[in-house]
Amino acid sequence: MTPPPLPLTQVVLKVHSRCDLACDHCYVYEHADTGWRSRPRVIGDAVLVRAAERIGEHAAAHGLTAVRVVLHGGEPLLAGPAVIRRAAETLRAALPEVCELDLRVHSNGVRLSPAYCELFDELGIRVGLSLDGDRAANDRHRRFADGRSSHPQVLRAAGLLREPRFRHLYAGLLCTVDVDNDPLAVYRALAELEPPAVDFLLPHATWERPPERPAGAGATPYAHWLLAAHAQWEADGRPFAVRTFDSVHRTLSGLPGLGEALGLEPVDLVVLETDGTYEQADSLRTAYDGAPATGMDVFRHSLDEVARHPGTAARQSGLAGLNATCRACPVVRSCGGGLYAHRYRDGSFDHPSVYCADLRALIDGLAARAGGGRRPAPPVDVAGPELGDAQLGELARGLGGPETVRTLARSQLALTRAMLAAVHGSSGLARSAAWELLADLDAAEPGAVDVVVAHPYVRAWAARRLGGDPGAGLGTLAELAAAAAVLAGRGDAVAVPLREGVLHLPTLGRLVLGGGAREALVTGGRTGWTARTDDGTLTGPGDPRWQPVRRIGLAGGRVLALEDVDPQRAAHRWPVADRLGAAEYACWARDLAEAAELLDRDLPAYAAGLWAGLTTVTPLRPGADGRDVSSAARQAFGAVGIARPRTAPTLALLLAHEFQHVKLGAVLDRWELYDRTDTRLFEAFGLSPRPIGSLFQAVYAHLAVTAFWGTRARADEAAQARFTHWRALTDAAVDLLATSGALTPLGHRFAAGARESVDSWLPLPRQPVL
């Protein structure tokens, strides 16, 4: 079955297509694309309603827990308060109940007023401003059409957002770099406005319209400018987030980048114009007239269709989508080839960035300042317990006994703890009551904290947060602290934000309150817990609206959580199921009990480790045409997602298959098994050609699949046919893996272990690959 496209979680919604400034570096009005001239000035109600419906259906289809929408232009405030209100209310009404709307407006600040701020406060809209520095720097480009300065108006707008009553609306500042401006003067002018975040944007350029490089400024003036600003930012103690610097620091440490301009993460953004047409990133307007166009619109096309558009796919292809020069570059994982638009030349984007030399100098400079790219040691053991040589040998053969898998689990717990520390460290919060409570509980009741932090989807959230996902809000820290406080039973209280009227307590369940409450004070005591909302409601686990995480007891005292309430469970590639009804839950309990017995009987060598590491099964939505659907989320150790199949034996097989992916993912967090820069594609198991990492995963998973059928082959002719079929396919795939030329020494050991397992299977005759 063809997997769904990667979801688009960020939408730039153009509500007005004109601007009241005439900035000469604007990518919309001052570059090659002229599509804006023919579009309506203001978005119409029909377009707005259909756009909201498309976003809502996309969120539902992909099980998204949050979507970021940026109201943009032109200048969005020209649309007027009524249009902005309609946009906010229409978008919120169209989203599924479990999906949060992260709504923002990006403005030049000229028209921002107290009335607008009050409206944004009511509607929950955060505000970003464009400002290039002090007056001299800003006036180089950001002027009115008659030449007047816009700087006083932007300062007034920033002053409004700094007022205590509006401070929570302040999203940050965007500054376009001009190397003729003094970087320290620009930095200080921005810092004086106390922004929560700053983004330094390289001026949009291509090889056909290269950026300005002043005479005598050297070969890398943009790197020099940014490094000067970075030095002052570091000297000031990093008083606010700077996405450019934070992204490089993260990628140097092996974490995903932040946004499209740096790193290899797939692009998840789409632009919606005032006439309802879908476009790719506005930066593509720099390349040529019509470059951002998709030929699609909200009335005829879904967001899934946009996600499958060749232009979108090209911007989601990571390393494989870069030219040979970039793929061979030692800083490619930090640079990511630069912004896609900046690679344009002679009708093609298959080139290095026009800022290639600057990006290399910037990344090398930041790496040198960070001591070769190493971060200071975090306050937890990132590596966790070590695996012994014998344990690695077990895993290499596709197996792994209980103690080996428990060692992997402890290592994963240590990694999750480190990621939580990184989340807090990068949050910009000097003090956090939730974090302080977690730290206190960790010292006094570490077992309670471990239970919560080991929940598979905690790490999935942390990874999304560190990856810059707009939906991974910091409210989850409060949810974790509240759940740990409940388990500790000390009587601690913590304020937890609600998600559209729902209180989530990871590992415990959710309380569906509805109404207008936005926050609950959760108090955990030895006799239970209570939640008092900001509208005065007092409730607890006895409330009929409480939906606990249900746990299924299996033979031998084993327990599996059937997770159908955690908002972070959408980490799986396939859409997750909603809360199960009583009848469906009973079917799951029956089938899981039978599947466990089958695994113990037919696959004991694999089952022993599986029961040591598998804690959570997440129901998925059924696949099309009744096909089996299952998934292991890369950042969710201990969980597998499955759409309940028709039979318990199939469920047993899917559990074994997906837990192989879980184990191998944990190994890959610690060791390199293959060359991640190898972009070749390999064809095996009758699947479409895929990269070396996917081949490795497929081989490892099918060791368990083939062994499952092999142990049943003597008594069942159908099982024998399946065994010989999968043995032949796996045998060929192991040979392909071993001779790929892409494996590290440890990767070769795993290939040899796979060969050992293949050769030890029942001595049934081989049959040709079908």
Side-chain angles (χ1 to χ4, degrees):
M1 180 178 178
T2 302
L6 292 174
L8 300 170
T9 64
Q10 301 187 68
V11 179
V12 173
L13 181 61
K14 302 294 188 72
V15 294
H16 200 283
S17 66
R18 303 296 190 271
C19 190
D20 44 6
L21 293 183
C23 308
D24 59 17
H25 57 16
C26 179
Y27 52 74
V28 176
Y29 306 110
E30 301 296 334
H31 282 274
D33 187 85
T34 58
W36 61 273
R37 297 181 185 276
S38 60
R39 292 198 173 94
R41 288 178 176 268
V42 183
I43 192 169
D45 285 349
V47 172
L48 189 54
V49 169
R50 194 64 183 124
E53 290 172 349
R54 289 299 192 189
I55 295 169
E57 71 185 18
H58 191 69
H62 292 273
L64 300 180
T65 58
V67 172
R68 174 178 288 183
V69 178
V70 181
L71 305 180
H72 214 284
E75 170 50 46
L77 299 192
L78 287 171
V83 171
I84 290 175
R85 177 182 290 280
R86 280 200 301 275
E89 293 175 347
T90 305
L91 287 164
R92 282 206 167 85
L95 286 177
E97 181 180 343
V98 297
C99 184
E100 294 182 4
L101 176 63
D102 177 4
L103 188 57
R104 305 188 178 206
V105 62
H106 194 87
S107 171
N108 60 32
V110 168
R111 293 174 179 265
L112 192 67
S113 65
Y116 260 127
C117 288
E118 289 166 1
L119 176 69
F120 296 153
D121 183 29
E122 176 191 347
L123 298 175
I125 301 176
R126 300 186 69 202
V127 186
L129 299 176
S130 294
L131 179 66
D132 288 350
D134 57 15
R135 180 162 185 158
N138 199 68
D139 285 355
R140 284 186 186 275
H141 305 287
R142 297 188 184 276
R143 290 178 173 269
F144 289 93
D146 60 6
R148 287 180 297 123
S149 170
S150 66
H151 191 254
Q153 290 93 328
V154 186
L155 289 188
R156 178 181 48 78
L160 270 174
L161 294 174
R162 293 166 67 193
E163 291 183 12
R165 57 179 175 151
F166 298 135
R167 178 75 193 187
H168 61 289
L169 304 177
Y170 197 2
L173 302 174
L174 184 148
C175 171
T176 300
V177 173
D178 185 326
V179 292
D180 284 330
N181 291 329
D182 180 350
L184 297 184
V186 168
Y187 169 83
R188 292 190 183 104
L190 300 179
E192 285 175 3
L193 301 180
E194 301 177 310
V198 168
D199 195 6
F200 288 118
L201 180 70
L202 292 174
H204 289 314
T206 70
W207 289 101
E208 296 183 356
R209 293 183 61 176
E212 293 185 10
R213 298 186 184 277
T220 57
Y222 293 90
H224 179 79
W225 196 100
L226 287 166
L227 287 169
H230 176 269
Q232 189 60 52
W233 179 67
E234 288 281 9
D236 290 349
R238 301 186 180 186
F240 43 81
V242 177
R243 185 163 67 164
T244 308
F245 304 151
D246 289 337
S247 188
V248 175
H249 289 153
R250 288 169 47 78
T251 55
L252 289 171
S253 301
L255 297 171
L258 302 175
E260 184 179 3
L262 293 165
L264 292 169
E265 294 306 296
V267 174
D268 60 355
L269 177 145
V270 64
V271 177
L272 256 168
E273 296 289 347
T274 55
D275 60 358
T277 55
Y278 295 112
E279 292 208 338
Q280 301 174 65
D282 272 338
S283 56
L284 287 169
R285 299 180 189 280
T286 308
Y288 58 89
D289 199 5
T294 65
M296 301 182 185
D297 62 68
V298 294
F299 298 104
R300 297 177 298 154
H301 303 93
S302 69
L303 280 169
D304 269 12
E305 290 176 276
V306 181
R308 293 190 181 97
H309 184 275
T312 307
R315 292 162 54 241
Q316 292 183 333
S317 54
L319 192 65
L322 300 180
N323 63 87
T325 301
C326 289
R327 292 198 302 270
C329 180
V331 302
V332 66
R333 295 196 172 278
S334 291
C335 169
L339 195 68
Y340 188 75
H342 296 173
R343 308 173 201 167
Y344 183 74
R345 184 176 197 168
D346 299 329
S348 169
F349 294 93
D350 190 27
H351 302 283
S353 168
V354 72
Y355 289 104
C356 178
D358 288 285
L359 292 172
R360 176 65 188 270
L362 172 65
I363 293 164
D364 285 345
L366 294 182
R369 291 177 181 180
R374 295 182 179 273
R375 288 180 295 175
V380 292
D381 176 13
V382 178
E386 290 289 342
L387 286 170
D389 187 71
Q391 291 176 314
L392 276 174
E394 291 176 16
L395 291 167
R397 297 193 301 277
L399 303 173
E403 186 52 41
T404 296
V405 175
R406 280 193 285 266
T407 302
L408 285 178
R410 291 193 295 270
S411 177
Q412 290 286 291
L413 177 60
L415 178 56
T416 302
R417 283 172 160 270
M419 292 172 73
L420 288 178
V423 165
H424 178 254
S426 63
S427 68
L429 298 176
R431 291 179 58 83
S432 166
W435 181 257
E436 290 176 3
L437 176 57
L438 269 176
D440 182 48
L441 288 170
D442 199 28
E445 300 284 347
V449 175
D450 276 349
V451 167
V452 175
V453 174
H455 186 52
Y457 301 119
V458 172
R459 176 176 163 190
W461 165 77
R464 288 172 52 224
R465 176 74 191 183
L466 292 171
D469 187 328
L474 282 172
T476 300
L477 277 180
E479 294 171 350
L480 297 175
V486 169
L487 292 174
R490 299 191 315 175
D492 299 285
V494 59
V496 182
L498 306 185
R499 301 169 185 262
E500 302 294 332
V502 180
L503 169 66
H504 291 277
L505 298 177
T507 74
L508 299 175
R510 70 182 180 189
L511 187 62
V512 184
L513 294 166
R518 295 186 177 184
E519 186 176 85
L521 185 69
V522 178
T523 304
R526 296 192 179 279
T527 59
W529 59 272
T530 61
R532 184 182 295 278
T533 63
D534 51 6
D535 63 3
T537 302
L538 179 65
T539 186
D543 192 309
R545 296 170 293 180
W546 171 245
Q547 297 176 349
V549 175
R550 292 172 289 196
R551 289 172 169 79
I552 296 173
L554 306 174
R558 297 174 298 223
V559 177
L560 284 179
L562 197 62
E563 180 60 88
D564 58 1
V565 294
D566 194 293
Q568 312 300 338
R569 71 190 190 282
H572 293 283
R573 181 71 184 273
W574 303 98
V576 297
D578 295 329
R579 176 73 168 178
L580 302 180
E584 178 64 8
Y585 169 73
C587 290
W588 268 102
R590 177 200 65 208
D591 289 356
L592 279 171
E594 185 178 345
E597 293 179 6
L598 291 172
L599 286 171
D600 288 341
R601 186 193 73 188
D602 295 338
L603 207 62
Y606 287 83
L610 181 148
W611 299 125
L614 181 65
T615 64
T616 304
V617 174
T618 295
L620 304 179
R621 295 182 190 175
D625 303 323
R627 295 186 181 182
D628 295 324
V629 170
S630 61
S631 167
R634 179 67 179 80
Q635 300 285 2
F637 180 86
V640 298
I642 296 175
R644 188 173 64 85
R646 289 184 292 273
T647 68
T650 302
L651 179 56
L653 180 60
L654 294 176
L655 288 168
H657 175 275
E658 295 303 339
F659 194 70
Q660 290 293 100
H661 290 306
V662 171
K663 287 190 298 187
L664 187 60
V667 171
L668 288 168
D669 280 335
R670 295 288 306 282
W671 291 279
E672 295 287 347
L673 300 183
Y674 50 83
D675 180 3
R676 296 175 187 263
T677 67
D678 193 314
T679 60
R680 293 174 297 154
L681 301 179
F682 301 85
E683 189 169 352
F685 295 105
L687 303 173
S688 59
R690 53 199 57 214
I692 184 65
S694 294
L695 173 63
F696 215 127
Q697 288 279 3
V699 166
Y700 204 74
H702 282 88
L703 293 177
V705 170
T706 312
F708 178 85
W709 294 116
T711 57
R712 301 161 66 89
R714 286 197 177 96
D716 186 329
E717 288 187 6
Q720 179 175 329
R722 292 183 180 184
F723 168 70
T724 52
H725 171 72
W726 287 116
R727 184 185 195 278
L729 286 172
T730 308
D731 182 51
V734 170
D735 284 346
L736 180 62
L737 182 68
T739 59
S740 66
L743 303 187
T744 65
L746 184 58
H748 278 292
R749 183 176 179 182
F750 269 67
R755 167 54 56 204
E756 183 180 337
S757 292
V758 170
D759 291 345
S760 70
W761 287 332
L762 295 178
L764 295 175
R766 301 188 184 195
Q767 70 175 28
V769 177
L770 299 179

